Amino acid sequence: MSSSIGSIHELYHSLEIKDERPYVIRVIEDIKKRSLSYHTYQGLVLIVTFLSYATYHVTRKTSSIVKSALDPQTPTSPSLDLKSYPWQKNYLNLSNGNVTLLGANNGGWEPFNGSDGTAMLGYLDVAFLAVYAGGMFFSGHLGDRMNLRVFLTIGMIGTGFFTALFGMGYWFNIHNFYYYLIVQMLAGVFQSTGWPSVVAIVGNWFGKGGRGLIMGIWNAHTSVGNITGSLVASALLKYGWGWSMFVPGLMIGFFGLVVFFMLPVSPLSVGMHMGDEETDSPKKGFLAEPFMPLEAIAEHETLEEEKAVGFIEAWKIPGVANYALCLFFAKLVAYTFLYWLPFYISYTEIGGEYLSSETAGNLSTFFDLGGVVGGILAGFVSDKLDARAITAASFTYFTIPALYMYRSYGFINVYMNIGLMFIAGMFVNGPYALITTAVSADLGTHKSLKGNSRALATVTAIIDGTGSIGAAIGPLLTGYFSAISWDAVFTMLMTAALIAGLLLTKLVIDEIRAKIDGYRSPRGSRADVLV
C-alpha cells in the first residue's frame, strides 16, 4: 500500500500539476483541512455562473430602457395621457385635437432627439451586436486555450467599464454620436467573452444526463438579468439616464471579482474528475491521495496531450451548422424583443392610453418571465423525449401563432397584453435557451471528437456567434420596418420563426427515425442522435 502511495506521489511531481483553485475555495479548504464535495462544487459553479451571466444581461437590457429617454418621440394621438410623458410637457402642441412635437428638441438627449434619432439608436444596437457576434468566434477560440476564470473576469470587468462609460456621457454632457458608437462597440467586444466561457464551465461539471433540465433552469439567468436590468434602469431613469447605465456597469464589475475569487472552471482544476462523488476527502495538501484518484492522473495526462479543436473542424461536427443557422433566426426574434419591446409598449395604445417609459419597462419583464418558463420547459421536454431537435423545432413553430396573437389582441387592455406577452416569451426563448445551453454542450462533447473535451467553448461560440449575427440584424431591420408599421415588424418576426423551424427539419427526421428504430429493436439502447 505504501509503495503504491509513493508511486502516486512520484506521478504528481512528474506531472507538475498546479494548484488552480480560486483563492476563496483554497482558503476554505485549507481551514477545513478537507476538500469540498463534488456536489458542492457543482452547486457553486451553477450559482456563480448564473449570477455572472445574469449581470451580462443586466448591462445589455439597460440600453432598451434608456432609448425612450434619449429619443422620447411622442405618438400622435388625441388620447395621449400627458402624465405619462412628463419630460415632454413643454414640447407639445395640442391644436386641432392632435399631439405633435414643437421643434426638433423634444426633451431627449442630443443627437438622439432629432428626426433621425430612432435610426441612430438602431445603429448603436447593430454596431454592438455585430462586434459581439464577431468577437464571439474569437472568444471561443481563446476560451479553449486560456484559463476560463481569468478570461471571464476580464470580460466582465471590461463590460462594466464601457457600460459605465456610456452612462458617464450624461454627466460629461457628451453629444457626439461617435462617442456612444465606439463605447458600445468596445462593450460588445468584452460582452462576447461571457457565453462561451460560462457554457464551457458548466459543461465541464455536468454530464449529458439531465443536462437539458439543469441547463434550462440555469439559463433563467438570461431572463433574470433582463428583468433586473429593466427594473434597475427604469427605477434610476428619473434621476438621469446616466445612472441607468452606470450602476449596472458597477454591478457586473463587482461580480467579475466574485468570479475571479470563487469560480472553479473544471473538476481537474481542483483535483477532481467528472463524476467524482467523494464527499469527505481529507485535505492533506493540494492533490492528496484521496483528493485525486489514480485514474484521474491518467485522465490528466490525456488532457495534457489534447489540442483544442480548430474553428473549421468544429463547424464539421454533425449538427453544428443546422443549429447555428437555426439560432440565427431564433435569436433575431429574441433580440428584437430584448431591444425594442419597451419602446413598442410605450408607443402602442393599450386599453385606450399610452404608458410611461418606466411602466413600459416594468411591463416588458413579463416577456422574460415567460422566457424562464419556456427555457425550463424546453429543457425538461427534451430530456424526457431525448429529442433536442424535435423540441426546439416545435417551440419555434408555436412562436408564430403566439406572435400573431400578441400583435392582434395585446392592445385590448394591460392584462391581455401581459398574458399574451408571457406566452410569446415562453415560445420565443424556449428554443433559444435550449440551443445555446444543452445543445451546445452536447455538440461540444460529440462522439466524433473521440473524447477531446477542448471544443466546448469553440462550438458554443460558433452557435451563439452565428445567432448573434441574427441578433444584430433583427433590431436593425426593426428600426426601418417600425417606421412603416409594426405589422411589418411582426411579419418579419413570424417569418424568421418559420425559417428557424425548417432549418431543423433534417435533425428532426433523424431523431424520429432513431425513435422508430429503437422501438423496433427490443434490445436496442437509446440512439445517439446529435442534438
Side-chain angles (χ1 to χ4, degrees):
M1 178 67 179
S2 60
S3 60
S4 64
I5 292 177
S7 62
I8 291 175
H9 278 298
E10 290 177 8
L11 279 172
Y12 284 143
H13 289 299
S14 65
L15 287 172
E16 296 183 351
I17 300 174
K18 297 180 180 179
D19 186 349
E20 296 181 350
R21 292 172 298 162
Y23 180 76
V24 172
I25 291 177
R26 192 179 309 174
V27 170
I28 293 174
E29 291 187 336
D30 287 345
I31 291 173
K32 292 178 62 178
K33 303 298 182 184
R34 63 181 63 247
S35 65
L36 299 177
S37 71
Y38 190 86
H39 291 306
T40 300
Y41 274 118
Q42 285 182 313
L44 182 63
V45 166
L46 287 177
I47 292 171
V48 175
T49 54
F50 184 98
L51 294 173
S52 166
Y53 206 71
T55 55
Y56 272 102
H57 267 263
V58 168
T59 59
R60 208 172 296 176
K61 182 66 176 178
T62 54
S63 62
S64 67
I65 303 300
V66 170
K67 270 188 175 78
S68 57
L70 298 176
D71 178 31
Q73 296 181 9
T74 308
T76 299
S77 171
S79 61
L80 180 67
D81 180 7
L82 297 185
K83 294 180 181 178
S84 299
Y85 297 90
W87 60 83
Q88 296 176 355
K89 61 185 178 181
N90 296 324
Y91 305 97
L92 301 175
N93 173 21
L94 302 178
S95 61
N96 301 321
N98 290 322
V99 179
T100 57
L101 292 174
L102 291 175
N105 189 340
N106 58 14
W109 189 263
E110 190 181 349
F112 303 106
N113 60 348
S115 58
D116 58 347
T118 302
M120 295 176 79
L121 291 171
Y123 296 150
L124 291 184
D125 291 343
V126 74
F128 170 86
L129 290 168
V131 173
Y132 173 79
M136 186 78 71
F137 296 113
F138 292 102
S139 293
H141 185 77
L142 289 173
D144 279 328
R145 291 160 176 79
M146 284 182 62
N147 184 316
L148 285 172
R149 177 166 56 89
V150 175
F151 188 59
L152 186 58
T153 299
I154 293 172
M156 294 179 71
I157 292 177
T159 297
F161 175 76
F162 287 106
T163 301
L165 201 61
F166 189 103
M168 290 172 70
Y170 173 79
W171 292 289
F172 293 149
N173 202 31
I174 297 175
H175 298 280
N176 189 313
F177 170 72
Y178 292 101
Y179 168 83
Y180 298 103
L181 181 67
I182 292 171
V183 168
Q184 278 291 80
M185 292 174 70
L186 291 172
V189 171
F190 284 96
Q191 284 256 0
S192 67
T193 62
W195 192 241
S197 301
V198 295
V199 172
I201 291 169
V202 173
N204 287 338
W205 282 96
F206 292 88
K208 188 174 180 181
R211 183 182 277 165
L213 178 59
I214 291 171
M215 298 190 96
I217 297 171
W218 172 75
N219 193 66
H221 53 49
T222 298
S223 296
V224 169
N226 290 341
I227 293 169
T228 304
S230 296
L231 296 177
V232 170
S234 296
L236 295 173
L237 204 56
K238 57 179 172 287
Y239 301 108
W241 64 264
W243 288 108
S244 297
M245 302 293 290
F246 187 78
V247 172
L250 293 181
M251 290 173 62
I252 192 171
F254 170 77
F255 281 102
L257 296 177
V258 172
V259 165
F260 182 78
F261 288 110
M262 294 188 65
L263 181 62
V265 297
S266 69
L268 191 62
S269 71
V270 293
M272 293 185 174
H273 69 294
M274 178 75 81
D276 192 344
E277 302 298 330
E278 190 70 48
T279 59
D280 248 346
S281 301
K283 189 70 175 171
K284 301 178 182 177
F286 183 66
L287 297 181
E289 296 86 356
F291 193 55
M292 177 180 255
L294 186 59
E295 59 266 26
I297 300 174
E299 179 184 351
H300 184 274
E301 290 177 313
T302 302
L303 288 171
E304 286 294 303
E305 297 173 358
E306 286 181 357
K307 293 183 179 180
V309 173
F311 183 78
I312 302 299
E313 293 176 84
W315 268 105
K316 293 178 181 179
I317 297 173
V320 167
N322 302 76
Y323 279 112
L325 294 174
C326 172
L327 191 63
F328 175 96
F329 292 98
K331 207 165 180 179
L332 184 154
V333 178
Y335 268 65
T336 296
F337 275 91
L338 174 68
Y339 281 98
W340 286 97
L341 182 57
F343 190 91
Y344 170 73
I345 295 172
S346 293
Y347 303 120
T348 300
E349 197 171 12
I350 299 175
E353 63 178 349
Y354 290 92
L355 304 178
S356 69
S357 294
E358 182 176 353
T359 302
N362 293 336
L363 196 65
S364 69
T365 60
F366 285 95
F367 181 85
D368 295 299
L369 288 173
V372 173
V373 175
I376 295 173
L377 184 61
F380 176 76
V381 171
S382 70
D383 278 346
K384 286 296 182 182
L385 297 180
D386 190 25
R388 308 276 199 231
I390 293 173
T391 304
S394 299
F395 269 74
T396 57
Y397 290 135
F398 279 117
T399 297
I400 299 171
L403 293 176
Y404 176 80
M405 295 290 288
Y406 179 64
R407 173 58 183 165
S408 300
Y409 303 103
F411 69 90
I412 293 176
N413 57 53
V414 172
Y415 300 106
M416 181 69 75
N417 191 283
I418 289 173
L420 293 175
M421 188 195 309
F422 183 91
I423 294 172
M426 186 171 67
F427 288 115
V428 167
N429 285 342
Y432 164 39
L434 181 64
I435 293 171
T436 55
T437 54
V439 167
S440 295
D442 290 350
L443 289 166
T445 54
H446 187 251
K447 62 181 181 180
S448 65
L449 296 172
K450 299 178 180 179
N452 189 342
S453 63
R454 300 187 66 188
L456 267 172
T458 300
V459 169
T460 300
I462 286 174
I463 293 175
D464 202 46
T466 305
S468 295
I469 298 174
I473 293 174
L476 177 65
L477 293 177
T478 300
Y480 288 106
F481 287 150
S482 62
I484 302 171
S485 75
W486 281 100
D487 287 334
V489 173
F490 277 82
T491 298
M492 174 192 75
L493 297 178
M494 289 186 285
T495 302
L498 175 63
I499 297 173
L502 292 175
L503 285 167
L504 295 181
T505 300
K506 180 182 182 301
L507 299 180
V508 169
I509 292 173
D510 289 344
E511 285 185 348
I512 293 174
R513 285 176 176 169
K515 295 294 180 186
I516 294 174
D517 291 342
Y519 288 131
R520 288 176 177 173
S521 176
R523 298 178 59 186
S525 60
R526 295 195 316 177
D528 187 13
V529 179
L530 191 171
V531 283

